[in-house]
Amino acid sequence: MPELQPEDVVILHPGDTVTVPGKVIQGGGRVSQFSLRKYMKQVPKYIGDQVYPFTKIASGHLHIQPR
């Protein structure tokens, strides 16, 4: 499988796991991620927000552009 390029777009749905760092370029929703205190929490994500690997899409649909 070819590697992702910066101009690629990854579309994520509820239940999907983010595998690359990137930026939301379309859509919105909530992701489950660990806080600094190691607690899982749901964080809203909108256009322009950063997403991080190993977070899971809890709701909504996100279009991510890899960094």
Side-chain angles (χ1 to χ4, degrees), residues 1-5 8:
M1 183 170 178
E3 289 192 29
L4 290 172
Q5 302 299 314
D8 290 339

Side-chain angles (χ1 to χ4, degrees), residues 6-57:
E7 63 275 359
D8 290 339
V9 175
V10 178
I11 301 172
L12 300 169
H13 304 279
D16 290 344
T17 300
V18 178
T19 57
V20 295
K23 181 172 81 170
V24 178
I25 60 167
Q26 186 176 340
R30 298 179 79 75
V31 300
S32 296
Q33 67 184 35
F34 283 102
S35 69
L36 292 175
R37 295 184 180 177
K38 308 275 184 193
Y39 294 107
M40 183 65 73
K41 63 180 184 175
Q42 289 192 2
V43 178
K45 295 291 181 176
Y46 303 103
I47 295 173
D49 289 343
Q50 297 295 314
V51 292
Y52 306 99
F54 310 111
T55 58
K56 191 171 191 172
I57 306 301

